[in-house]
Amino acid sequence: MEEEIKAEFLKSGFTLDEEEEILKKCHTFCVNYSLQPSDIVSSWEVYYLNRQLDEPVVKDAEMDGFLGHLQNEQAEAGVKKDAGLHMYSFKDVDMVLDAEDEDTNNVILGTPVKSEKLHLDIYDSAHKMNGNIYSSERKSKLVTPFGTRSNKFAIKFNIENLPTIETVNSIEDHENLEDGIIKRIQPQKSCSVVVHGSGPEPGCRFLYDRIEDRFNALENRIKKHAAALVASGLYEEPMDPSVASQRSIFAVGMICCDGEGHLNDKSILLQSSVEHSGGQRVRLELNKLSLFSFFPGQVVGIKGHNPSGHCLIASELVDYIPLSIAADADLPPAKKQALDEEIQAAHLSSAPTEITMIIAAGPFTTTDNLLFEPLSELLAYATRKSPRLLILLGPFIDSEHPQIKKGTVDLSFDDIFQTEVLRKVQDYLEYMGPTARLVMVPSVRDANNDFVFPQPAFNLDSLNVRHQITNLNNPGIFEVDQVKIGCCTVDILKHLSGEEMSRHWVEGKPNDRLSRLASHILAQRSFYPLYPPAEGVPMDFSLAPEALGISSVPELLILPSDIKYFVKVLSVGEEEMKRCVCINPGRLAKGEGGGTFVELKYQGSPDKMNASIISI
């Protein structure tokens, strides 16, 4: 089995430092936890990304930490498999709490921690004034692992390019109720939110895409990429890479794998367009490239020669579209004019100002209940900070939640969403006043929304504060006071990390894999450039061409992922450098505990920005 483990590590691009010792330990892990060689390597990739290790080298010094990671994975898997427990519903909790005066010994009750009560003073008072049943004090008396967590609102990561008066570390020095109300009613101009592009409508017909739709989507990607490279004037017209030629040629095509496994230097193929090569594939030889990063579905330009007609020997790689090319140049004139007018109106109505925002991604409740405590804590924090914009990204009603999967809840998914999410959001907006703005983005894991990608936005027409909420498709692009923001809740970073093949021989330069993965999204001008899509992604190619495209590089790119949280400044292109701030806020809830969210203050460029990743 040790040879199989070694082969799997090499296939995934990892080398072994102390080979014999590492293989012996990995063999032991496989035996103890009933894992296959492919399983142990997949777990190592997750550990490698979460620890942000610099080099793709498996070191013996990391084995103890890796063992702890495996033990945590096994513990989580054990919890998911335990189907013999009764999961209490909302009615069960109410029934037990109603009977507390008859028998209090059978119920675990507690008094809220003082610091928690101070957090929620202002927000809870708003709940009581609105008279909502869901916000009664009974829930606060129920002791949960989330309620007893430590390190509340601790800063995990921080970028400070602006002078700050108040920091998150002063969270315990709360203002009193009167100060909070005075701060809230101070006049504040609302931010202008303009949605760009279009996507599927709620209730649309989906997952009826044909083979023809898939073919056309991929073919159009290759043709648009080739046209953009030629239009830049830097590259000649693409030629057929499968034709034998002694002279150097330029070809544009999509990276494919010769088989069902991961990409490697022996299985990588280039598929050109039907127009240039009839859609034929040719093997790529990469020995002359010292720097590359490939994944299936990536559209690239290749300079090289094919002396035999069977293998294209690559000498230069072009994996981005020059920034001088406007990706929306092929839009219909009427649509382009309407978009320009919409953007111009937004620019005239709002001068460039400082934008403060809080960004959080689901799940918004812990795995041991459906009380949505992390969401309540986040909204309480937002009432103190008064951000101009709050961005919430799904899943909200997580289909992977143990109680949802087992079917032990006695309410419909829409009822849970209405009661535990929308009502809290509505209370927050009503309390903060008409200038507060909220953006909501669904996830394919949302049990109460269409299971398709691209995904339509939530239908929130019944809310009284719907004019303060922007419902965004998944993925979606919107503009806030001239700052363009892109969002996608499908975990494309994790999917790319499992399929990427790279070589980086740059001396003295750190190998930042997370930045490289995020840069692929901008370079390919697509929120999901991976093909075939990862298992579990309900891709509909009849909806994809228009909805997945990124017309131009946004200032902010929000990509929630199970990979470790980060805020990174990405540079796109070579001669024309444009920068984009990529944000992975992490998950607001992790298991039975709290996760992280991001607080951002942005003044038009990464050099004028404060960003903090904060534990909930």
Side-chain angles (χ1 to χ4, degrees):
M1 179 180 279
E2 292 183 4
E3 289 300 322
E4 296 178 16
I5 295 173
K6 178 181 177 181
E8 288 291 337
F9 272 119
L10 295 178
K11 189 194 299 183
S12 298
F14 293 99
T15 57
L16 306 179
D17 189 12
E18 300 176 26
E19 184 175 310
E20 184 178 350
E21 191 66 26
I22 291 173
L23 291 178
K24 194 176 298 182
K25 290 183 179 180
C26 288
H27 186 192
T28 303
F29 298 160
C30 287
V31 173
N32 291 344
Y33 298 113
S34 301
L35 299 175
Q36 297 296 322
S38 58
D39 298 331
I40 200 80
V41 174
S42 296
S43 295
W44 169 260
E45 288 182 338
V46 175
Y47 175 80
Y48 167 82
L49 289 169
N50 286 341
R51 291 293 301 274
Q52 297 188 4
L53 302 179
D54 291 335
E55 300 177 354
V57 179
V58 183
K59 298 181 180 179
D60 185 51
E62 294 289 341
M63 285 295 104
D64 290 338
F66 181 46
L67 174 59
H69 172 76
L70 285 176
Q71 291 171 342
N72 291 336
E73 282 189 338
Q74 295 300 311
E76 292 176 5
V79 171
K80 292 179 180 179
K81 291 179 181 178
D82 186 1
L85 297 176
H86 171 69
M87 295 297 180
Y88 284 93
S89 66
F90 302 113
K91 291 182 179 179
D92 293 322
V93 174
D94 289 339
M95 177 187 67
V96 172
L97 294 175
D98 286 337
E100 67 182 30
D101 56 340
E102 299 176 7
D103 184 6
T104 58
N105 295 327
N106 294 329
V107 185
I108 302 176
L109 299 176
T111 303
V113 181
K114 183 177 181 181
S115 62
E116 290 181 344
K117 189 174 187 304
L118 288 172
H119 272 107
L120 301 173
D121 269 345
I122 302 174
Y123 188 54
D124 283 346
S125 65
H127 286 174
K128 294 169 188 174
M129 286 186 288
N130 291 333
N132 288 322
I133 298 174
Y134 86 97
S135 61
S136 67
E137 292 185 350
R138 287 177 176 174
K139 284 187 181 180
S140 66
K141 295 179 181 178
L142 190 66
V143 176
T144 62
F146 178 82
T148 58
R149 72 198 185 283
S150 58
N151 295 326
K152 301 174 186 179
F153 301 104
I155 297 179
K156 300 289 188 179
F157 176 80
N158 196 27
I159 296 176
E160 287 194 1
N161 295 328
L162 295 172
T164 57
I165 300 175
E166 181 183 14
T167 64
V168 184
N169 283 332
S170 62
I171 189 68
E172 296 182 358
D173 300 327
H174 296 285
E175 301 94 339
N176 56 32
L177 181 61
E178 290 77 10
D179 290 340
I181 293 176
I182 291 172
K183 180 180 179 181
R184 177 175 60 87
I185 64 176
Q186 285 179 346
Q188 180 180 9
K189 186 179 179 182
S190 63
C191 54
S192 170
V193 180
V194 178
V195 177
H196 287 210
S198 60
E201 297 293 331
C204 65
R205 182 175 181 266
F206 59 88
L207 294 185
Y208 284 91
D209 58 335
R210 304 161 296 173
I211 295 179
E212 180 182 355
D213 295 324
R214 301 186 179 198
F215 169 80
N216 288 335
L218 299 175
E219 178 71 8
N220 288 336
R221 275 189 63 204
I222 299 174
K223 291 170 67 175
K224 286 183 178 180
H225 210 101
L229 291 175
V230 173
S232 70
L234 303 175
Y235 306 98
E236 59 187 20
E237 188 72 26
M239 299 181 65
D240 184 356
S242 62
V243 175
S245 173
Q246 296 296 327
R247 68 183 186 90
S248 178
I249 64 168
F250 178 67
V252 177
M254 184 178 70
I255 297 298
C256 306
C257 182
D258 184 15
E260 295 185 357
H262 292 286
L263 276 182
N264 58 60
D265 55 356
K266 302 298 181 184
S267 67
I268 187 169
L269 304 175
L270 182 72
Q271 176 181 317
S272 192
S273 66
V274 173
E275 177 183 356
H276 294 109
S277 70
Q280 294 189 41
R281 297 178 175 182
V282 63
R283 193 170 77 83
L284 277 180
E285 175 60 63
L286 307 176
N287 288 339
K288 292 187 177 182
L289 296 179
S290 61
L291 182 69
F292 63 76
S293 175
F294 290 120
F295 60 89
Q298 181 184 17
V299 180
V300 297
I302 297 288
K303 282 186 178 181
H305 64 285
N306 186 354
S308 65
H310 302 291
C311 179
L312 179 63
I313 302 174
S315 58
E316 183 181 340
L317 169 66
V318 182
D319 58 358
Y320 65 94
I321 297 177
L323 298 178
S324 58
I325 304 303
D328 60 351
D330 56 347
L331 287 177
K335 187 170 183 180
K336 188 175 181 181
Q337 181 180 359
L339 181 62
D340 291 341
E341 290 175 356
E342 187 178 34
I343 297 173
Q344 185 177 6
H347 287 182
L348 291 175
S349 62
S350 59
T353 55
E354 176 182 276
I355 300 176
T356 56
M357 64 183 78
I358 290 177
I359 306 166
F364 290 92
T365 188
T366 53
T367 55
D368 58 331
N369 60 58
L370 286 171
L371 300 178
F372 287 82
E373 296 170 285
L375 177 60
S376 297
E377 290 272 8
L378 179 74
L379 295 177
Y381 180 86
T383 60
R384 286 197 64 256
K385 290 298 189 176
S386 300
R388 300 184 67 197
L389 181 66
L390 176 62
I391 302 177
L392 301 181
L393 306 108
F396 295 90
I397 310 302
D398 189 6
S399 58
E400 297 296 320
H401 191 282
Q403 295 185 27
I404 301 293
K405 292 180 74 172
K406 294 177 182 180
T408 56
V409 293
D410 55 357
L411 294 174
S412 70
F413 301 143
D414 286 332
D415 287 342
I416 300 174
F417 184 61
Q418 183 73 35
T419 303
E420 295 294 341
V421 178
L422 294 186
R423 192 178 296 177
K424 293 180 179 181
V425 163
Q426 179 166 316
D427 284 348
Y428 163 76
L429 292 174
E430 288 178 348
Y431 179 72
M432 297 301 294
T435 60
R437 288 293 180 267
L438 171 70
V439 173
M440 293 185 71
V441 187
S443 165
V444 294
R445 284 168 51 181
D446 273 308
N448 62 317
N449 204 0
D450 293 332
F451 183 65
V452 63
F453 185 71
Q455 186 179 28
F458 289 119
N459 185 0
L460 305 181
D461 292 338
S462 61
L463 288 184
N464 297 332
V465 291
R466 59 182 178 273
H467 61 282
Q468 293 177 251
I469 301 178
T470 300
N471 297 312
L472 206 63
N473 294 316
N474 175 32
I477 298 177
F478 63 101
E479 190 171 295
V480 181
D481 289 354
Q482 305 181 35
V483 175
K484 196 172 184 180
I485 304 174
C487 304
C488 180
T489 58
V490 170
D491 198 346
I492 179 60
L493 295 177
K494 185 177 180 180
H495 298 167
L496 283 177
S497 70
E499 299 292 341
E500 184 206 32
M501 176 187 73
S502 63
R503 178 189 297 162
H504 287 265
W505 290 347
V506 181
E507 294 183 2
K509 188 175 181 180
N511 181 13
D512 188 352
R513 193 181 186 204
L514 293 177
S515 294
R516 189 171 72 244
L517 294 175
S519 296
H520 284 312
I521 310 300
L522 301 175
Q524 293 292 297
R525 300 293 174 90
S526 171
F527 281 108
Y528 201 91
L530 183 66
Y531 182 82
E535 183 179 357
V537 177
M539 180 74 77
D540 189 323
F541 284 88
S542 65
L543 306 174
E546 186 176 358
L548 292 182
I550 301 177
S551 59
S552 60
V553 178
E555 279 81 8
L556 304 178
L557 181 63
I558 305 174
L559 301 174
S561 175
D562 292 334
I563 295 175
K564 188 176 181 180
Y565 51 77
F566 64 80
V567 177
K568 293 182 179 293
V569 179
L570 308 179
S571 297
V572 186
E574 291 185 355
E575 297 180 0
E576 308 168 276
M577 300 297 286
K578 180 168 183 178
R579 294 188 296 172
C580 168
V581 180
C582 185
I583 300 170
N584 170 20
R587 305 296 183 185
L588 193 68
K590 290 185 176 181
E592 296 184 358
T596 56
F597 65 94
V598 167
E599 184 174 7
L600 182 70
K601 182 181 292 185
Y602 189 81
Q603 291 187 354
S605 77
D607 296 329
K608 298 180 179 180
M609 172 188 74
N610 285 353
S612 300
I613 299 177
I614 307 168
S615 62
I616 188 64

